[in-house]
């Protein structure tokens, strides 16, 4: 009933819960689907299923599908029954799968997958993004996997070129570009890395001897800097009390911010981090508490 949904949306918004209406004529995965049972079976009657050529794990049945059971009845049940997405990810993780890639025009499930994998660990990435769907975006997504330790065959990406390694700082970038300034070597040669910058001390050690107010200020700057990077800004625009999701953040950017902060702080942060601490000030205070607890443990 639309009126009942209006009440739910209003209540969520009043409580600060993110909510969004989806423009559909009926509620999938509910009793409303039963009214189109016969039409669906008739429309799909000519479907002739075959065993999948690509490994297929059903989020409806919670199992690997190896046979020709994906008939009209299956797709009706798929629309009528609950989507057991979390349970499917858990089952795959229990079987040893640790790399998940969402192949879509825009990732909407990556944060949910990361939330499921919080206890087991794993790597999650997308492919394309809204308004960012070219080959460079695909390569950037592949690079995200590669930097997380996933082996990537770059042969196709570098076809017709002579790639080489160049030295980069080992410490976290401060939103500066580090372009090589030396003359490029001849094709087929590689420039040896002779000097490396000193490795920076862990953040907790660098903050340990500073007064609490200075530590909080430093962490607030860190949160605002990384939030700016997640938003694609060169300078932080978020004020300490600005709500992330009112400043352009979505679930994808929330995940990116969480991953950036995990890398900078060395903390294991939950996938719901930005949903739980909704402003830079609240998030900085949480990070200070976590770092203090870790350093005294």
């Amino acid at each position: 009933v639309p009126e009942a949904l209006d009440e739910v949306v209003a209540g969520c918004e009043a409580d600060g819960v993110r909510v969004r209406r989806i423009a559909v004529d009926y509620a999938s995965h509910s009793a409303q689907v039963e009214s189109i049972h016969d039409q669906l079976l008739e429309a799909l009657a000519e479907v002739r299923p075959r065993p999948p050529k690509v490994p297929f794990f059903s989020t409806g049945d919670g199992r690997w599908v190896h046979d020709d059971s994906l008939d009209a009845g299956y797709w009706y049940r798929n629309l009528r029954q609950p989507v057991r997405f979390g349970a499917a990810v858990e089952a795959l993780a229990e079987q040893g799968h640790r790399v998940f890639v969402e192949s879509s025009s825009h990732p909407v499930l990556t944060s949910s997958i990361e939330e499921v994998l919080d206890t087991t660990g794993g790597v999650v990435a997308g492919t394309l993004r809204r308004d960012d769907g070219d080959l460079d975006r695909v390569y950037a997504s592949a690079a995200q996997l590669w930097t997380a330790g996933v082996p990537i065959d770059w042969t196709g990406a570098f076809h017709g070129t002579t790639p080489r390694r160049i030295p980069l700082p080992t410490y976290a970038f401060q939103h500066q570009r580090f372009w090589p300034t030396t003359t490029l070597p001849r094709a087929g040669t590689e420039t040896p890395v002779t000097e490396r910058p000193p490795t920076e001390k862990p953040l907790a050690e660098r903050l340990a001897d500073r007064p609490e107010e200075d530590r909080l200020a430093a962490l607030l700057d860190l949160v605002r800097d990384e939030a700016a990077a997640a938003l694609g800004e060169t300078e932080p625009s978020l004020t300490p009390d600005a709500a992330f999701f009112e400043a352009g953040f979505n679930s994808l950017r929330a995940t990116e911010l969480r991953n950036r902060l995990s890398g900078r702080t060395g903390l294991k942060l939950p996938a719901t981090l930005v949903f739980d601490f909704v402003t830079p000030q609240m998030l900085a205070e949480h990070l200070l508490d976590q770092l203090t607890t870790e350093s005294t443990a």
Side-chain angles (χ1 to χ4, degrees):
V1 180
E3 293 76 13
L5 289 178
D6 290 338
E7 293 181 13
V8 172
V9 170
C12 289
E13 291 176 341
D15 293 337
V17 177
R18 290 183 66 239
V19 60
R20 181 166 62 93
R21 289 286 293 271
I22 300 176
V24 293
D25 296 330
Y26 60 90
S28 300
H29 314 291
S30 77
Q32 290 189 1
V33 179
E34 295 175 6
S35 64
I36 58 172
H37 172 268
D38 294 341
Q39 295 96 308
L40 276 177
L41 293 186
E42 181 180 353
L44 299 174
E46 297 183 4
V47 171
R48 295 293 180 266
R50 294 179 297 178
K53 293 183 178 180
V54 175
F56 183 92
F57 192 92
S58 170
T59 57
D61 294 344
R63 65 180 180 90
W64 289 103
V65 177
H66 301 290
D67 53 22
D68 58 354
S69 61
L70 302 182
D71 56 9
Y74 171 85
W75 292 112
Y76 166 74
R77 296 194 307 275
N78 190 269
L79 188 62
R80 170 62 182 91
Q81 296 174 349
V83 179
R84 298 180 175 86
F85 182 78
V89 175
E90 288 179 353
L92 291 171
E94 289 174 358
Q95 295 175 28
H97 296 279
R98 290 293 182 271
V99 179
F100 292 79
V101 179
E102 180 182 352
S103 298
S104 63
S105 58
H106 185 76
V108 295
L109 300 172
T110 52
S111 59
S112 298
I113 297 172
E114 287 197 336
E115 186 173 353
V116 175
L117 297 178
D118 265 348
T119 55
T120 61
V123 179
V124 185
T127 47
L128 305 177
R129 294 186 182 181
R130 186 179 299 110
D131 300 323
D132 187 11
D134 57 12
L135 188 57
D136 286 345
R137 177 68 258 169
V138 175
Y139 288 156
S141 298
Q144 180 183 351
L145 293 169
W146 185 75
T147 56
V150 179
I152 301 291
D153 182 0
W154 293 105
T155 306
F158 291 114
H159 179 70
T161 68
T162 306
R164 65 187 182 88
R165 297 180 183 275
I166 60 173
L168 288 175
T170 56
Y171 50 84
F173 293 162
Q174 298 296 325
H175 311 306
Q176 300 177 30
R177 297 186 182 275
F178 292 87
W179 298 114
T181 57
T182 56
T183 303
L184 293 176
R186 297 189 305 275
T189 64
E190 184 173 314
T191 302
V193 179
T194 56
E195 297 183 3
R196 296 186 183 277
T199 302
E200 197 172 33
K201 290 182 179 180
L203 180 63
E205 291 185 21
R206 286 183 280 125
L207 296 178
D209 297 328
R210 301 172 63 175
E212 181 173 340
E213 60 271 19
D214 289 351
R215 283 180 280 160
L216 180 58
L219 288 171
L220 180 58
D221 288 342
L222 173 66
V223 170
R224 295 181 67 230
D225 285 344
E226 296 303 336
L231 289 171
E233 300 174 343
T234 55
E235 297 291 337
S237 63
L238 268 70
T239 61
D241 295 324
F244 288 113
F245 290 102
E246 293 178 2
F249 270 80
N250 51 28
S251 59
L252 178 64
R253 285 172 173 162
T255 299
E256 183 175 348
L257 176 57
R258 174 257 196 165
N259 292 342
R260 286 177 171 274
L261 292 174
S262 290
R264 293 293 301 276
T265 63
L267 295 170
K268 181 176 176 56
L269 300 171
T272 58
L273 181 73
V274 179
F275 296 90
D276 298 333
F277 306 95
V278 297
T279 69
Q281 182 70 34
M282 293 173 63
L283 185 45
E285 291 172 354
H286 173 69
L287 293 177
L288 177 60
D289 180 64
Q290 293 297 105
L291 287 168
T292 302
T293 301
E294 185 175 272
S295 63
T296 56

